[in-house]
Coordinates of all heavy atoms in Angstrom, one line a residue:
F20 N 17.5 41.8 12.0 CA 16.3 41.1 11.7 C 15.5 41.6 10.6 O 14.9 40.9 9.8 CB 15.4 40.8 13.0 CG 15.8 39.6 13.8 CD1 16.5 39.8 15.0 CD2 15.4 38.4 13.4 CE1 16.7 38.7 15.8 CE2 15.7 37.2 14.2 CZ 16.5 37.4 15.3
L23 N 17.3 40.7 7.4 CA 17.2 39.2 7.0 C 15.8 38.9 6.5 O 15.5 38.0 5.8 CB 17.7 38.3 8.1 CG 17.1 38.3 9.5 CD1 15.8 37.4 9.5 CD2 18.1 37.9 10.5
F27 N 14.7 37.2 3.0 CA 13.9 36.1 3.0 C 12.6 36.3 2.1 O 12.2 35.4 1.3 CB 13.4 35.7 4.4 CG 12.8 34.3 4.5 CD1 13.7 33.2 4.5 CD2 11.4 34.1 4.5 CE1 13.1 31.9 4.7 CE2 10.9 32.9 4.6 CZ 11.7 31.7 4.6
Y32 N 17.9 33.8 -0.5 CA 18.1 32.9 0.6 C 19.5 32.8 1.1 O 19.8 32.7 2.2 CB 17.6 31.4 0.2 CG 16.1 31.5 -0.1 CD1 15.6 31.0 -1.3 CD2 15.2 31.9 0.8 CE1 14.3 30.9 -1.6 CE2 13.8 32.0 0.5 CZ 13.4 31.5 -0.7 OH 12.0 31.5 -1.0
K33 N 20.5 32.9 0.1 CA 21.9 32.9 0.6 C 22.2 34.1 1.5 O 22.9 34.0 2.4 CB 22.8 32.8 -0.7 CG 22.7 31.6 -1.4 CD 23.7 31.4 -2.6 CE 23.6 30.1 -3.3 NZ 24.6 30.0 -4.4
A35 N 20.1 35.8 3.1 CA 19.3 35.7 4.3 C 20.1 34.8 5.4 O 20.2 35.0 6.5 CB 18.0 35.2 4.1
S36 N 20.6 33.6 4.8 CA 21.4 32.7 5.5 C 22.5 33.3 6.3 O 22.9 33.1 7.4 CB 21.8 31.5 4.7 OG 20.6 30.8 4.2
A37 N 23.3 34.2 5.4 CA 24.5 34.8 5.9 C 24.2 35.8 7.0 O 24.9 35.9 8.1 CB 25.2 35.5 4.9
T38 N 23.0 36.5 6.9 CA 22.6 37.5 7.9 C 22.1 36.8 9.1 O 22.4 37.2 10.3 CB 21.5 38.3 7.4 OG1 21.8 38.9 6.2 CG2 21.1 39.4 8.4
Y39 N 21.5 35.6 9.0 CA 21.0 34.8 10.3 C 22.2 34.4 10.9 O 22.3 34.3 12.2 CB 20.2 33.6 9.7 CG 18.8 34.0 9.4 CD1 18.3 33.6 8.1 CD2 17.9 34.5 10.3 CE1 17.0 33.9 7.8 CE2 16.5 34.8 9.9 CZ 16.1 34.6 8.7 OH 14.9 34.9 8.3
D40 N 23.3 33.9 10.2 CA 24.6 33.4 10.9 C 25.1 34.6 11.8 O 25.6 34.3 12.8 CB 25.5 33.0 9.8 CG 25.1 31.6 9.3 OD1 24.3 30.9 9.8 OD2 25.7 31.3 8.2
K41 N 25.1 35.7 11.2 CA 25.6 36.9 11.9 C 24.9 37.0 13.2 O 25.4 37.3 14.3 CB 25.6 38.2 11.0 CG 26.2 39.3 11.7 CD 26.2 40.5 10.8 CE 26.7 41.9 11.4 NZ 26.7 43.0 10.5
L43 N 23.1 34.9 14.8 CA 23.3 33.8 15.9 C 24.6 33.9 16.6 O 24.6 33.7 17.7 CB 23.3 32.5 15.0 CG 21.9 32.1 14.4 CD1 22.0 30.9 13.5 CD2 20.9 31.8 15.6
D51 N 16.0 31.4 22.2 CA 15.7 32.4 21.0 C 15.8 31.6 19.8 O 16.8 31.7 19.1 CB 16.4 33.6 21.0 CG 16.0 34.6 20.0 OD1 14.9 34.4 19.5 OD2 16.6 35.7 19.8
I52 N 14.8 30.8 19.4 CA 14.9 29.9 18.3 C 14.7 30.5 17.0 O 15.1 29.9 15.9 CB 13.8 28.8 18.6 CG1 14.2 27.9 19.9 CG2 13.8 27.8 17.4 CD1 13.2 27.0 20.3
Y53 N 13.9 31.6 17.0 CA 13.6 32.2 15.6 C 14.8 32.3 14.6 O 14.7 31.9 13.5 CB 12.9 33.6 15.8 CG 12.5 34.2 14.5 CD1 11.4 33.8 13.9 CD2 13.2 35.3 14.0 CE1 11.0 34.4 12.7 CE2 12.8 35.8 12.8 CZ 11.6 35.4 12.2 OH 11.3 36.0 11.0
P54 N 15.8 32.9 15.0 CA 17.0 32.9 14.0 C 17.5 31.6 13.5 O 17.8 31.4 12.4 CB 18.1 33.8 14.7 CG 17.7 33.7 16.2 CD 16.3 33.6 16.2
Y55 N 17.5 30.6 14.4 CA 17.9 29.3 14.0 C 16.9 28.8 13.0 O 17.3 28.2 11.9 CB 18.0 28.3 15.3 CG 19.0 28.6 16.2 CD1 18.8 29.2 17.4 CD2 20.3 28.2 15.9 CE1 19.9 29.5 18.3 CE2 21.5 28.5 16.7 CZ 21.2 29.1 17.9 OH 22.2 29.3 18.8
Y56 N 15.6 28.9 13.3 CA 14.6 28.3 12.5 C 14.5 29.0 11.1 O 14.6 28.3 10.1 CB 13.2 28.5 13.2 CG 12.1 28.1 12.4 CD1 11.8 26.8 12.0 CD2 11.1 29.2 11.9 CE1 10.7 26.4 11.2 CE2 10.1 28.7 11.2 CZ 9.8 27.4 10.8 OH 8.8 27.1 10.0
Q57 N 14.6 30.3 11.1 CA 14.6 31.0 9.8 C 15.9 30.8 9.0 O 15.8 30.6 7.7 CB 14.4 32.5 9.9 CG 12.9 32.9 10.5 CD 11.9 32.7 9.3 OE1 11.6 31.5 9.0 NE2 11.5 33.7 8.8
A58 N 17.0 30.7 9.6 CA 18.2 30.5 8.9 C 18.1 29.1 8.3 O 18.6 28.8 7.2 CB 19.5 30.6 9.8
A59 N 17.7 28.1 9.1 CA 17.6 26.7 8.7 C 16.6 26.5 7.4 O 16.9 25.8 6.4 CB 17.2 25.9 9.8
V60 N 15.5 27.3 7.5 CA 14.5 27.2 6.4 C 15.2 27.8 5.1 O 15.1 27.2 4.0 CB 13.3 28.0 6.7 CG1 12.5 28.2 5.5 CG2 12.5 27.3 7.9
S61 N 16.0 28.9 5.3 CA 16.7 29.4 4.2 C 17.7 28.5 3.5 O 17.8 28.2 2.3 CB 17.4 30.6 4.6 OG 16.5 31.8 5.0
Y62 N 18.5 27.8 4.4 CA 19.4 26.8 3.9 C 18.7 25.6 3.3 O 19.2 25.0 2.3 CB 20.2 26.3 5.2 CG 21.4 27.3 5.3 CD1 21.5 27.8 6.6 CD2 22.4 27.4 4.4 CE1 22.5 28.7 6.9 CE2 23.5 28.3 4.8 CZ 23.5 29.0 6.0 OH 24.6 29.8 6.3
G63 N 17.6 25.2 3.9 CA 16.8 24.2 3.2 C 16.3 24.4 1.9 O 16.3 23.7 0.9
L64 N 15.9 25.7 1.7 CA 15.3 26.2 0.4 C 16.6 26.3 -0.6 O 16.3 26.2 -1.8 CB 14.7 27.5 0.6 CG 13.3 27.5 1.3 CD1 12.8 28.8 1.6 CD2 12.3 26.7 0.5
S65 N 17.7 26.4 0.0 CA 18.9 26.5 -0.9 C 19.5 25.0 -1.1 O 20.5 24.9 -1.7 CB 20.0 27.4 -0.3 OG 19.6 28.7 -0.1
K66 N 18.8 24.0 -0.6 CA 19.1 22.6 -0.7 C 20.3 22.3 0.0 O 21.1 21.2 -0.2 CB 19.4 22.2 -2.1 CG 18.1 22.6 -3.1 CD 17.0 21.8 -2.7 CE 15.8 22.0 -3.6 NZ 14.5 21.4 -3.2
N67 N 20.7 23.1 1.1 CA 21.9 22.8 1.9 C 21.4 22.2 3.1 O 21.3 22.9 4.2 CB 22.6 24.1 2.2 CG 24.0 23.9 2.8 OD1 24.2 22.8 3.3 ND2 24.8 24.9 2.8
H68 N 21.0 20.9 3.1 CA 20.5 20.2 4.2 C 21.5 20.0 5.4 O 21.2 20.0 6.5 CB 19.9 18.9 3.8 CG 18.7 19.0 2.8 ND1 17.6 19.6 3.1 CD2 18.7 18.6 1.5 CE1 16.7 19.5 2.0 NE2 17.4 19.1 1.1
K69 N 22.8 19.9 5.0 CA 23.8 19.7 6.0 C 23.9 20.8 6.9 O 23.9 20.8 8.2 CB 25.2 19.5 5.3 CG 26.3 19.2 6.3 CD 27.6 19.0 5.6 CE 28.8 18.7 6.6 NZ 30.0 18.5 6.0
K70 N 23.9 22.1 6.3 CA 23.9 23.3 7.1 C 22.6 23.5 7.9 O 22.5 24.0 9.1 CB 24.1 24.5 6.2 CG 24.4 25.9 7.0 CD 25.6 25.8 7.8 CE 25.9 27.2 8.5 NZ 27.0 27.2 9.3
K71 N 21.5 23.1 7.4 CA 20.2 23.2 8.0 C 20.3 22.3 9.3 O 19.7 22.8 10.4 CB 19.1 22.7 7.0 CG 17.7 22.8 7.6 CD 16.6 22.3 6.6 CE 15.2 22.4 7.3 NZ 14.2 22.0 6.2
I72 N 20.7 21.1 9.2 CA 20.9 20.2 10.3 C 21.8 20.8 11.3 O 21.5 20.8 12.5 CB 21.3 18.8 9.9 CG1 20.1 18.2 9.1 CG2 21.7 18.0 11.1 CD1 20.5 16.8 8.4
E73 N 22.9 21.3 10.9 CA 23.8 21.9 11.9 C 23.2 23.0 12.7 O 23.5 23.0 13.9 CB 25.1 22.4 11.1 CG 26.2 23.0 11.9 CD 27.2 23.7 11.1 OE1 27.6 23.1 10.0 OE2 27.8 24.7 11.4
L74 N 22.4 23.8 12.1 CA 21.9 25.0 12.8 C 20.8 24.5 13.8 O 20.6 24.9 14.9 CB 21.2 25.9 11.8 CG 22.2 27.0 11.1 CD1 21.4 27.8 10.0 CD2 22.7 28.0 12.2
L75 N 19.9 23.6 13.2 CA 18.7 23.3 14.0 C 19.1 22.3 15.2 O 18.3 22.2 16.1 CB 17.7 22.6 13.2 CG 16.9 23.5 12.2 CD1 15.9 22.7 11.3 CD2 16.1 24.6 13.0
S76 N 20.2 21.6 15.0 CA 20.7 20.8 16.2 C 20.8 21.6 17.4 O 20.8 21.0 18.6 CB 22.0 20.1 15.8 OG 21.8 19.3 14.7
N77 N 21.1 22.9 17.3 CA 21.2 23.7 18.6 C 19.9 23.8 19.3 O 19.9 24.1 20.5 CB 21.7 25.2 18.2 CG 23.1 25.2 17.7 OD1 24.0 25.0 18.3 ND2 23.3 25.3 16.3
V78 N 18.8 23.6 18.6 CA 17.5 23.8 19.3 C 17.2 22.6 20.2 O 16.4 22.8 21.1 CB 16.4 23.9 18.1 CG1 15.1 24.0 18.7 CG2 16.7 25.1 17.2
F87 N 8.6 28.7 18.6 CA 9.2 28.1 17.5 C 10.0 26.8 17.7 O 10.6 26.2 16.8 CB 10.2 29.1 16.8 CG 9.6 30.3 16.1 CD1 9.7 31.5 16.8 CD2 8.7 30.2 15.0 CE1 9.0 32.7 16.1 CE2 8.1 31.2 14.4 CZ 8.3 32.5 15.0
Y88 N 9.9 26.3 19.0 CA 10.5 25.0 19.2 C 9.8 23.9 18.4 O 10.6 23.1 17.7 CB 10.3 24.7 20.7 CG 10.9 23.4 21.1 CD1 12.2 23.2 21.4 CD2 10.1 22.1 21.2 CE1 12.8 21.9 21.8 CE2 10.7 20.9 21.6 CZ 12.0 20.8 21.8 OH 12.5 19.6 22.1
E90 N 8.1 24.0 15.5 CA 8.5 24.2 14.1 C 10.0 23.8 13.8 O 10.3 23.1 12.8 CB 8.4 25.7 13.8 CG 6.9 26.1 13.7 CD 6.4 26.7 15.0 OE1 7.0 26.4 16.0 OE2 5.4 27.4 15.1
A91 N 10.9 24.2 14.8 CA 12.3 23.9 14.5 C 12.6 22.4 14.6 O 13.4 21.8 13.7 CB 13.2 24.7 15.5
I92 N 12.1 21.7 15.6 CA 12.3 20.3 15.8 C 11.7 19.5 14.6 O 12.3 18.6 14.0 CB 11.8 19.8 17.1 CG1 12.5 20.4 18.2 CG2 11.9 18.2 17.2 CD1 14.0 20.1 18.3
F93 N 10.6 20.0 14.1 CA 9.9 19.2 13.0 C 10.7 19.5 11.8 O 11.0 18.5 10.9 CB 8.5 19.9 12.8 CG 7.8 19.1 11.6 CD1 7.1 18.0 11.9 CD2 7.7 19.6 10.4 CE1 6.4 17.3 10.9 CE2 7.1 18.9 9.4 CZ 6.3 17.8 9.6
E94 N 11.2 20.7 11.5 CA 12.1 20.9 10.3 C 13.4 20.2 10.5 O 13.9 19.7 9.4 CB 12.4 22.4 10.2 CG 11.3 23.2 9.7 CD 11.0 22.8 8.2 OE1 11.8 22.5 7.4 OE2 9.7 22.8 7.8
L95 N 13.9 20.0 11.6 CA 15.1 19.2 11.8 C 14.9 17.7 11.4 O 15.7 17.1 10.7 CB 15.6 19.2 13.3 CG 16.9 18.4 13.6 CD1 18.0 18.9 12.8 CD2 17.2 18.6 15.1
G96 N 13.7 17.1 11.8 CA 13.3 15.8 11.4 C 13.2 15.7 10.0 O 13.8 14.7 9.3
R97 N 12.6 16.7 9.3 CA 12.5 16.6 7.8 C 13.9 16.7 7.1 O 13.9 16.0 6.1 CB 11.5 17.7 7.4 CG 10.1 17.7 7.8 CD 9.4 16.4 7.3 NE 9.6 16.4 5.8 CZ 9.4 15.4 5.0 NH1 9.3 14.2 5.6 NH2 9.6 15.4 3.7
A98 N 14.8 17.5 7.7 CA 16.0 17.5 7.2 C 16.7 16.2 7.2 O 17.4 15.9 6.3 CB 16.8 18.7 7.8
Y99 N 16.6 15.5 8.3 CA 17.2 14.2 8.4 C 16.5 13.2 7.5 O 17.2 12.4 6.9 CB 17.1 13.7 9.9 CG 18.1 14.1 10.8 CD1 17.7 14.9 12.0 CD2 19.4 14.0 10.6 CE1 18.7 15.3 12.9 CE2 20.4 14.5 11.5 CZ 20.1 15.1 12.7 OH 21.0 15.6 13.5
A101 N 15.5 14.1 4.5 CA 16.0 14.3 3.2 C 17.4 13.7 3.1 O 17.8 13.4 2.0 CB 16.1 15.9 3.1

Side-chain angles (χ1 to χ4, degrees):
F20 269 106
L23 62 85
F27 191 83
Y32 300 124
K33 289 185 178 180
S36 301
T38 306
Y39 283 123
D40 285 344
K41 181 179 179 181
L43 291 172
D51 185 9
I52 296 174
Y53 182 74
Y55 290 105
Y56 174 66
Q57 286 292 75
V60 171
S61 296
Y62 278 117
L64 292 170
S65 300
K66 306 299 183 184
N67 190 342
H68 297 295
K69 182 179 179 180
K70 186 65 176 178
K71 180 179 180 180
I72 289 172
E73 180 186 325
L74 279 172
L75 288 177
S76 294
N77 293 285
V78 180
F87 291 107
Y88 179 86
E90 291 89 342
I92 295 297
F93 185 82
E94 282 300 320
L95 179 57
R97 291 298 304 158
Y99 279 125

